[in-house]
Amino acid sequence: MPTRIALVTRPAVGGIRRHLHTLISGLQQAGWEPFLLAPPDFVLEGLSVPLYPMTFSLRQNPPEHIRTVFQLSRRLQACAPQLVHAHGLWAALLTAPAAWRAQLPFVFTLHNLVPRLSAPQRLFFQWAAKRAGRIIAVSEAVAHSAEAAGIPSQWMEVIPNGIDPTPFLQLPSRREARAQLGLPLERPLVASIGRLSKEKGFDVLLAAARQLAMRAVPPLVVIAGDGPERESLVQQASSLENVRLLGPLPSVEPLYAAADIVVIPSREEGQGIVAIEAMFARKAIVATAVGGLMETLDRGRYGRLVPPEDSTALAEAIETLLGDPALREHSIEAAFQRAMALYTADRMIARHLTLYRELLPKKIFC
């Protein structure tokens, strides 16, 4: 009989959703039987995975959260998994008491930096952590933020996100990619990809683009993605002839192929999947020195790091790399090798399976 594992998530976009897609696909290939406890509209394209719809409140409403805990508990008892894995801090806080009531092994992953918690939230976080067999952090920065909230480091294991490198090893040519996206062939191109939310810092990139527009040959700054800041960013970019907002793309690979530089202007970042994609795509990177980005890029060995919120430093780093092709090429191959060693989906899946087997009763594998 395949091992059944319940994966619990609240409404999630971006990195968590992509992580779940990769993890579930890997578990299915390994012969496990994963299923989701998630909002009813939670869809992972291209995957066939059972979804048991859950109602998660996004408000700070204790009575609603208590109802969710009991709903989760009933679901877990009815579905009878051998293991429960929650994704994200707030999903973990709600799942911990449900898994405890169902007497099931429980693990959770912190995908983002743990925010400053109120005293009651901090106590509940510590209680939930004690119920977990293990806590996974996607970077040392995330693990350190959990330690600052009172979680002992020995309870945590850092397992970085991993992705399938194959699409980035088979990119179209620069000419084909730019033609596909309707972008000029000869103009220097700076690409940035992600959820259009405040923490991703795209407004800072637009401020840098305004400075770059005054150069003799201003690069084209192309931003792909969607999110709550989209309307504001469109307004900010309306007066900038060197900026294009492409919206969400069905596939990001053509933009990587088209780009000369990939920029990650985040204000905060748990790890930085875009940086990993750029490393696999063999693209030079400019990023902010925040959170897990500093680990992914090894504190600047595999990409230029600038302070967050500093549009001038960002513009200068972009201009420096665009003006020096040899400098761009200097760390690209080493960054690619680093990504192959640390950030593949296969490695991530293998480390999860090892951890799961440590938590499950031995008789399951007999």
Side-chain angles (χ1 to χ4, degrees):
M1 291 287 292
T3 305
R4 286 173 57 78
I5 179 170
L7 300 159
V8 185
T9 182
R10 284 176 49 161
V13 294
I16 293 180
R17 188 179 290 261
R18 292 188 59 192
H19 171 90
L20 282 168
H21 192 290
T22 302
L23 179 60
I24 289 171
S25 176
L27 290 172
Q28 289 175 335
Q29 292 175 26
W32 287 49
E33 188 178 331
F35 63 89
L36 277 167
L37 299 176
D41 60 349
F42 196 92
V43 177
L44 297 174
E45 293 185 9
L47 279 185
S48 176
V49 56
L51 170 65
Y52 297 90
M54 293 293 307
T55 302
F56 290 98
S57 173
L58 295 178
R59 301 178 298 169
Q60 295 299 320
N61 188 318
E64 291 186 19
H65 295 331
I66 291 170
R67 285 194 290 272
T68 298
V69 169
F70 280 99
Q71 185 186 21
L72 275 168
S73 182
R74 290 193 296 270
R75 286 287 197 200
L76 292 174
Q77 290 170 348
C79 296
Q82 279 87 43
L83 180 68
V84 182
H85 187 170
H87 289 266
L89 174 61
W90 302 111
L93 295 180
L94 294 172
T95 306
W100 179 60
R101 291 187 77 244
Q103 297 185 320
L104 291 168
F106 168 59
V107 61
F108 66 86
T109 295
L110 296 171
H111 292 267
N112 299 301
L113 302 173
V114 176
R116 180 172 296 180
L117 302 174
S118 67
Q121 289 172 335
R122 186 183 177 98
L123 287 173
F124 190 43
F125 181 36
Q126 293 168 0
W127 180 89
K130 290 179 182 179
R131 306 283 80 77
R134 202 71 54 84
I135 302 163
I136 300 170
V138 299
S139 68
E140 293 288 351
V142 170
H144 292 326
S145 72
E147 289 180 53
I151 307 304
S153 59
Q154 63 266 28
W155 296 2
M156 290 184 284
E157 181 164 345
V158 175
I159 303 180
N161 282 313
I163 64 174
D164 177 9
T166 306
F168 303 96
L169 307 181
Q170 303 170 348
L171 294 176
S173 70
R174 185 173 184 269
R175 178 182 294 274
E176 292 170 333
R178 293 202 181 192
Q180 180 180 337
L181 295 169
L183 300 173
L185 177 60
E186 298 304 329
R187 194 168 179 181
L189 194 151
V190 174
S192 197
I193 301 167
R195 176 169 163 76
L196 305 185
S197 53
K198 190 70 175 177
E199 71 273 10
K200 296 299 184 181
F202 290 112
D203 56 319
V204 181
L205 177 56
L206 291 182
R210 189 176 299 277
Q211 298 176 47
L212 291 167
M214 296 183 287
R215 305 304 193 261
V217 183
L220 184 62
V221 177
V222 178
I223 300 173
D226 202 357
E229 293 292 308
R230 183 175 182 177
E231 184 175 340
S232 173
L233 294 171
V234 167
Q235 291 177 351
Q236 293 175 57
S238 61
S239 61
L240 297 173
E241 295 183 357
N242 64 324
V243 172
R244 300 248 188 118
L245 296 178
L246 300 183
L249 296 176
S251 171
V252 295
E253 288 84 359
L255 185 52
Y256 283 108
D260 295 300
I261 297 174
V262 173
V263 176
I264 308 164
S266 302
R267 291 183 166 90
E268 60 181 64
E269 196 73 63
Q271 182 192 10
I273 290 181
V274 170
I276 297 170
E277 292 177 339
M279 292 162 82
F280 281 128
R282 290 182 165 94
K283 295 296 173 177
I285 301 167
V286 175
T288 46
V290 296
L293 281 172
M294 290 191 289
E295 294 164 49
T296 303
L297 299 175
D298 197 13
R299 301 192 176 275
R301 286 187 64 193
Y302 303 103
R304 292 181 70 90
L305 293 175
V306 299
E309 305 277 4
D310 191 335
S311 60
T312 299
L314 189 61
E316 289 174 351
I318 292 170
E319 186 174 29
T320 297
L321 280 182
L322 286 177
D324 192 339
L327 183 61
R328 290 205 303 270
E329 294 295 323
H330 177 69
S331 63
I332 284 177
E333 185 59 32
F336 172 79
Q337 295 300 331
R338 176 177 174 82
M340 289 296 292
L342 298 179
Y343 302 127
T344 63
D346 287 347
R347 186 175 191 272
M348 183 190 81
I349 298 299
R351 293 192 63 188
H352 276 79
L353 289 172
T354 297
L355 184 148
Y356 291 160
R357 291 181 177 120
E358 291 173 358
L359 299 178
L360 287 170
K362 300 303 179 188
K363 63 182 180 181
I364 290 178
F365 300 104
C366 294

